[in-house]
Amino acid sequence: MTDATEPMEGAPLIAPSTVNHPLFDSVSDACRSIYDPEIPVNIYELGLIYTIDISDENDVKIIMTLTAPGCPVAGEMPGWIVDAVSAVAGVKSVDVELVWDPPWGMEMMSDEARLELGFM
């Protein structure tokens, strides 16, 4: 018997997003409108948005991280996301959870972000 507090072997560290929800593209586009003030790439392409979970009632939960715990906008960025996603037509509510596990790494950036920052 396995311990319920331990993740199952092979379980993803990042919960899957609700990509098949009709609002997913609009919500992810809203996340793309937010930029890390120190890096000229949006937070979605940087890989800071781990999960976009949208319920059948259109409640949105976003799990995100930052490039570093000492990020100067750590206290502000979740509010920026709430403001941007709340403006999406059809969204009922927005909850943003800031997590540090798994830690962000450059491998989480999209190819677009790598290209923009000169890593490709």
Side-chain angles (χ1 to χ4, degrees):
M1 183 151 200
T2 60
D3 181 353
T5 61
E6 291 296 314
M8 293 184 340
E9 185 174 333
L13 292 174
I14 297 172
S17 291
T18 317
V19 296
N20 58 348
H21 193 284
L23 288 176
F24 179 80
D25 289 341
S26 298
V27 169
S28 59
D29 285 346
C31 291
R32 284 184 179 92
S33 73
I34 301 165
Y35 284 74
D36 183 306
E38 297 178 343
I39 305 171
V41 175
N42 71 67
I43 63 170
Y44 191 89
E45 300 301 336
L46 276 176
L48 298 180
I49 301 296
Y50 284 172
T51 303
I52 297 173
D53 183 31
I54 309 170
S55 75
D56 291 340
E57 293 77 32
N58 297 345
D59 294 303
V60 179
K61 178 170 184 183
I62 295 175
I63 300 172
M64 68 166 299
T65 193
L66 298 171
T67 54
C71 178
V73 294
E76 298 171 49
M77 195 173 292
W80 299 346
I81 295 169
V82 169
D83 290 346
V85 175
S86 293
V88 172
V91 168
K92 183 177 172 187
S93 70
V94 182
D95 177 46
V96 178
E97 180 182 354
L98 191 58
V99 299
W100 303 107
D101 189 36
W104 180 84
M106 290 179 58
E107 70 280 357
M108 295 176 172
M109 289 191 291
S110 69
D111 288 345
E112 291 84 358
R114 292 171 199 261
L115 190 62
E116 178 72 28
L117 296 173
F119 296 125
M120 286 182 72

